[in-house]
Amino acid sequence: QNWVDNRLTTACREGFTLVYDEFTRSRPEANNVLLAALEERVLVLPTSNGANSYVKVHPEFRAIFTSNPQEYAGVHEAPDALSDRLVTMDLDYYDRDTEVSITSSNSGLEPRDVACVVDIVREFRDSGEYDQAPTLRACIMIARVTAMQGISPTSGDQRFVQICLDVLESKTAFSTKSRDRRTAQRKMLLKLINHHMSRPADA
């Protein structure tokens, strides 16, 4: 009953750009208020007496919606009425240099070692042998744990190999039917690790 301006109202009134992250995690009816704002350029606000008041949307108002194309629990399908008012752009993964830079800055691992970790993840991603695509987060997980534990990032250090397997094998759903697939996947991952991290472990 006591309306307080928040991000959407402020952006519409002042002509800011609203970034709506993971909008498909909201229930579809929660996004209905956006329809008039995007199409008729009017934002409908509730009032204490049950009537409606209106904010004329600023000509410079813009909105950026982000969503993950994969279907996770708690994700709703984008309503057609809202999708019709948006221009959808599919974004690919970062390029290799960007992934190396981000992983290095978030892990503390040496850039040379980070580059090898990124190459392992990228080649695994290209293989398609997974249920959930390994993203930049997988690179950061492997590199950060390796750095925090003071582990030698080489194929000769079984602890490092196990970290890679723990992170990357989790991208495939486990079931009795997938046992043969997971066995073949492990062989492939070990081959990738040996190829990219073939330096001997530190003495």
Side-chain angles (χ1 to χ4, degrees), residues 41-101:
R41 310 297 288 181
V42 172
L43 181 64
V44 182
L45 304 179
T47 61
S48 58
N49 59 10
N52 291 324
S53 64
Y54 302 90
V55 171
K56 186 175 181 181
V57 176
H58 193 284
E60 295 300 318
F61 169 73
R62 300 290 184 271
I64 299 173
F65 296 72
T66 73
S67 65
N68 195 311
Q70 292 179 306
E71 296 299 327
Y72 296 114
V75 174
H76 304 276
E77 186 175 354
D80 290 340
L82 183 57
S83 297
D84 285 345
R85 291 164 170 79
L86 305 175
V87 176
T88 301
M89 295 179 287
D90 291 326
L91 303 181
D92 204 350
Y93 297 101
Y94 295 115
D95 60 73
R96 179 181 182 273
D97 289 343
T98 302
E99 289 194 328
V100 170
S101 177

Side-chain angles (χ1 to χ4, degrees), residues 9-10 14 21 24 34 36 50 54 58 60 64 99 104 117 134 155 159 187 195 203:
T9 311
T10 302
E14 303 296 333
D21 192 28
T24 52
L34 295 163
Y54 302 90
H58 193 284
E60 295 300 318
I64 299 173
E99 289 194 328
S104 180
V117 170
S155 59
R159 296 172 299 171
K187 290 180 179 178
H195 173 69

Side-chain angles (χ1 to χ4, degrees), residues 153-177:
T154 69
S155 59
D157 193 319
Q158 288 304 309
R159 296 172 299 171
F160 173 74
V161 174
Q162 192 60 52
I163 291 170
C164 293
L165 294 176
D166 288 342
V167 172
L168 297 178
E169 284 187 322
S170 67
K171 303 303 179 184
T172 299
F174 181 80
S175 68
T176 54
K177 294 181 179 179

Side-chain angles (χ1 to χ4, degrees), residues 18-37:
L18 174 74
V19 179
Y20 191 168
D21 192 28
E22 297 285 3
F23 79 98
T24 52
R25 290 190 180 275
S26 300
R27 295 180 63 86
E29 55 267 27
N31 294 320
N32 286 341
V33 67
L34 295 163
L35 300 179

